Amino acid sequence: MAREQLQVLNALDVARTQLYHFTTIVIAGAGFFTDAYDLFSISLVTKLLGRIYYAHTDSVKPGTLPPSVSSLVTGIALVGTPVGQIFFGWLGDKMGRKKVYGITLILMIVCSLASGLSFGSSPKGVMATLCFFRFWLGFGIGGDYPLSATIMSEYANKKTRGAFVAAVLGMQGFGILGSGIIALIVSASFDRAYPAPAYKDDHLGSTVRQADYIWRIILMFGAVPAALTYYWRMKMPETARYTALVARNARQAAQDMTKVLNIEFDAEEAKVQKLVEESSNSYALFSKEFLRRHGIHLLGTTTTWFIIDSAFYSQNLFQKDIFTAIGWIPKAAEMNAVHEVFRVAKAQTLIALCGTVPGYWFTVALIDIIGRITIQLMGFFFMTIFLFAVAIPYDHWTHPKNRIGFLVMYSLTFFFANFGPNTTTFVVPAEIFPARLRSTCHGISAAAGKAGAIVGAFGFLYAAQPTDKTKTDAGFPPGIGVKASLIVLGCVSFLGMLFTFCVPEPKGKSLEELSGEKDDDGAEASTSEQPRSYNRTVPI
């Protein structure tokens, strides 16, 4: 049987869309712009790092990062991210969303700047300090995931909650696009100021001394959007759901939301006290009751996020290798070091512009109309189709006349990743778990996703190498090739469709209805008495 909703929470659920919603999107979204910028900008400069620090002038190929170093530089931030997601997710439920929110932003600002200031007397020293700072950068980025999603979902009304949470993640697309644009501007400026011959014409002269500034500037710029929003993050009041349902301070929740909504609220202290004493609002994360209520849901959110990130990050971080393989980017020996950065950035920017960014915002527009689960199933389905369409006739796409077709097909995989599971896996965990466990469960789900990203990043690095040992990058063993790697990603995407059926549809429901916090005695409620959305996995 449903319990009467707290007045202040009901007001949030039915509030019309207004300024504070958009303010929250901008404040939280700026963090995600920085997250994506920092995570994906490294792929733009790894080839440059190889030319600068691991050059051999007697080699017919420009210098490249050794496999172990390349893996660490590319993926170390992804190792720090799941640690931060779990730690800050848990801390957000213990201390409050707002108190922890500023810490993550400070970490991202400091470590973005420090990454660009990496130092050492040898190449190993520079790479070691770069990896050290990028690990802690990933740790801070990790905290932004559960906190931003939870804050936005707890501030939003139930009619447009999906769009608001998705819009926060949508800033990730602009972060990826922004990293490419900044790399284009910086590399073009340096290429014009310090012209150099191609590597095949002059091994030593093809990498100008000033190129060492390029990767540092690109990485450090990630601190700018985060720094611009720090003040506003600190000004945000704590969410009413945390203050009332977790901190049990009804008076403070009423005061905070009076300022936000410009409506006077009663404190309802007796109702809050009664609510938090119910058995349905006191079970722990590691309990049989949580397992009964939300175990299948947590399985669904973790597995689907793992699957989408294993495909999404492997494609994003190693676009440069795929573009080189099909001949869209010239061979390294035919370019100087700075121009190679420009060409890699140009390719990534076009993909982001054509597929990544539009996909996010299609989700924002439609998520509260057709539902999260429908979009997620559709996204996994079309990712599977287009990955197979790229991979199976792979040799066809390597011919120069077919490269535009390849760009279209490859962009569509990104479009349906973002108009699909890459967005919905972020939204749903912020909606279906109880307030006192919401940030923690989102952090666990997100950490599973980044575990998938680590598998994708490190695995694809080796797997995409040619089967012919003479054609592999220096220091890498033969792999299964780009074609077979893309087929594997297509199969993985199909698995994502199956696990989607473990997740309930949150569209149009309040957070308390979804989590069971609105039930009088959720532990003993019969299946027929529970809200239909509680058990339903696919919208009808």
Side-chain angles (χ1 to χ4, degrees):
M1 186 172 66
R3 179 194 298 113
E4 184 183 353
Q5 178 77 302
L6 289 175
Q7 184 186 40
V8 66
L9 302 188
N10 185 64
L12 285 167
D13 281 340
V14 300
R16 60 182 176 81
T17 300
Q18 49 195 289
L19 181 61
Y20 80 88
H21 288 123
F22 295 106
T23 302
T24 307
I25 290 171
V26 171
I27 293 170
F32 266 85
F33 180 99
T34 302
D35 296 348
Y37 184 100
D38 289 332
L39 287 175
F40 294 111
S41 60
I42 192 66
S43 67
L44 301 172
V45 299
T46 49
K47 286 183 177 288
L48 178 61
L49 290 172
R51 285 188 184 241
I52 294 172
Y53 294 104
Y54 292 89
H56 301 284
T57 54
D58 57 342
S59 172
V60 296
K61 293 182 179 180
T64 58
L65 295 176
S68 59
V69 177
S70 181
S71 298
L72 282 172
V73 169
T74 304
I76 194 66
L78 297 178
V79 175
T81 302
V83 181
Q85 286 165 333
I86 293 174
F87 176 73
F88 286 113
W90 169 79
L91 209 60
D93 283 334
K94 293 297 179 184
M95 295 177 57
R97 289 60 158 131
K98 179 190 173 181
K99 288 182 180 178
V100 185
Y101 212 24
I103 299 172
T104 62
L105 203 64
I106 291 172
L107 263 175
M108 288 192 292
I109 294 169
V110 171
C111 292
S112 290
L113 295 173
S115 295
L117 299 174
S118 298
F119 57 88
S121 57
S122 66
K124 286 185 177 180
V126 176
M127 295 301 111
T129 53
L130 176 60
C131 288
F132 174 82
F133 291 128
R134 284 193 63 80
F135 173 86
W136 291 107
L137 173 63
F139 185 70
I141 288 172
D144 219 41
Y145 275 72
L147 295 171
S148 290
T150 300
I151 287 171
M152 190 69 252
S153 72
E154 293 183 344
Y155 264 114
N157 61 57
K158 63 184 180 182
K159 183 179 179 181
T160 57
R161 184 179 60 239
F164 289 151
V165 181
V168 171
L169 186 71
M171 294 302 291
Q172 190 179 70
F174 288 118
I176 297 171
L177 182 63
S179 66
I181 291 172
I182 294 299
L184 282 172
I185 294 171
V186 173
S187 59
S189 301
F190 274 76
D191 202 22
R192 183 171 182 176
Y194 307 101
Y199 183 84
K200 66 180 181 180
D201 298 324
D202 185 347
H203 291 187
L204 184 62
S206 66
T207 305
V208 295
R209 183 169 51 85
Q210 293 81 1
D212 193 51
Y213 295 116
I214 293 176
W215 68 270
R216 297 177 184 274
I217 293 170
I218 292 171
L219 296 186
M220 291 172 73
F221 189 84
V224 174
L228 291 175
T229 58
Y230 178 77
Y231 171 78
W232 297 107
R233 277 202 182 191
M234 295 300 94
K235 291 276 287 183
M236 290 178 68
E238 182 58 84
T239 70
R241 284 183 162 90
Y242 179 85
T243 306
L245 301 177
V246 184
R248 307 183 182 187
N249 190 338
R251 187 173 300 278
Q252 187 63 52
Q255 289 175 356
D256 288 342
M257 292 306 103
T258 294
K259 295 176 183 177
V260 171
L261 297 171
N262 295 316
I263 301 172
E264 289 292 333
F265 294 104
D266 296 329
E268 298 184 291
E269 291 175 319
K271 189 184 289 187
V272 168
Q273 188 61 34
K274 181 181 178 182
L275 188 151
V276 298
E277 288 175 354
E278 292 281 350
S279 60
S280 61
N281 291 318
S282 59
Y283 57 85
L285 177 64
F286 300 105
S287 66
K288 289 182 180 179
E289 185 62 19
F290 178 86
L291 185 63
R292 187 185 73 81
R293 287 169 166 270
H294 298 291
I296 191 70
H297 300 162
L298 190 59
L299 173 67
T301 58
T302 52
T303 52
T304 53
W305 208 333
F306 178 94
I307 288 168
I308 181 57
D309 273 13
S310 65
F312 183 74
Y313 279 81
S314 61
Q315 290 183 81
N316 261 298
L317 291 173
F318 299 103
Q319 284 182 39
K320 60 186 185 302
D321 301 306
I322 295 170
F323 292 144
T324 299
I326 67 162
W328 203 35
I329 295 176
K331 293 181 179 179
E334 297 175 5
M335 299 178 285
N336 64 48
V338 178
H339 190 61
E340 186 174 35
V341 175
F342 180 86
R343 293 301 295 264
V344 171
K346 179 181 176 182
Q348 180 166 307
T349 302
L350 283 172
I351 289 292
L353 199 59
C354 296
T356 305
V357 173
Y360 282 115
W361 295 96
F362 264 74
T363 304
V364 172
L366 297 174
I367 192 169
D368 288 308
I369 298 173
I370 63 178
R372 289 78 158 141
I373 306 307
T374 301
I375 289 176
Q376 185 160 307
L377 286 169
M378 179 188 66
F380 273 129
F381 174 78
F382 281 110
M383 281 182 67
T384 304
I385 295 298
F386 287 114
L387 280 167
F388 284 155
V390 167
I392 293 172
Y394 179 74
D395 294 336
H396 168 79
W397 301 116
T398 61
H399 299 301
K401 64 179 181 180
N402 298 324
R403 287 172 188 166
I404 297 299
F406 175 86
L407 175 63
V408 172
M409 298 291 285
Y410 194 59
S411 295
L412 284 170
T413 67
F414 283 100
F415 176 81
F416 282 106
N418 294 307
F419 181 35
N422 192 47
T423 304
T424 54
T425 53
F426 175 80
V427 174
V428 172
E431 299 180 295
I432 63 177
F433 298 108
R436 67 188 181 284
L437 301 173
R438 185 169 292 131
S439 182
T440 302
C441 290
H442 195 284
I444 292 170
S445 303
K450 287 302 168 284
I454 293 168
V455 171
F458 287 102
F460 199 85
L461 181 66
Y462 287 88
Q465 294 296 317
T467 54
D468 185 349
K469 188 175 182 179
T470 61
K471 297 180 180 179
T472 62
D473 291 338
F476 283 86
I480 61 174
V482 172
K483 176 178 180 176
S485 298
L486 291 172
I487 290 175
V488 170
L489 292 179
C491 294
V492 167
S493 297
F494 178 76
L495 284 177
M497 292 177 61
L498 303 182
F499 281 104
T500 296
F501 291 100
C502 296
V503 183
E505 174 56 69
K507 179 170 75 79
K509 303 293 183 181
S510 75
L511 297 179
E512 288 67 43
E513 285 179 281
L514 290 161
S515 65
E517 291 168 294
K518 206 172 179 181
D519 293 341
D520 275 334
D521 191 355
E524 297 176 9
S526 68
T527 301
S528 62
E529 290 175 330
Q530 293 171 357
R532 285 181 296 168
S533 65
Y534 192 82
N535 291 314
R536 184 186 299 166
T537 55
V538 182
I540 296 174

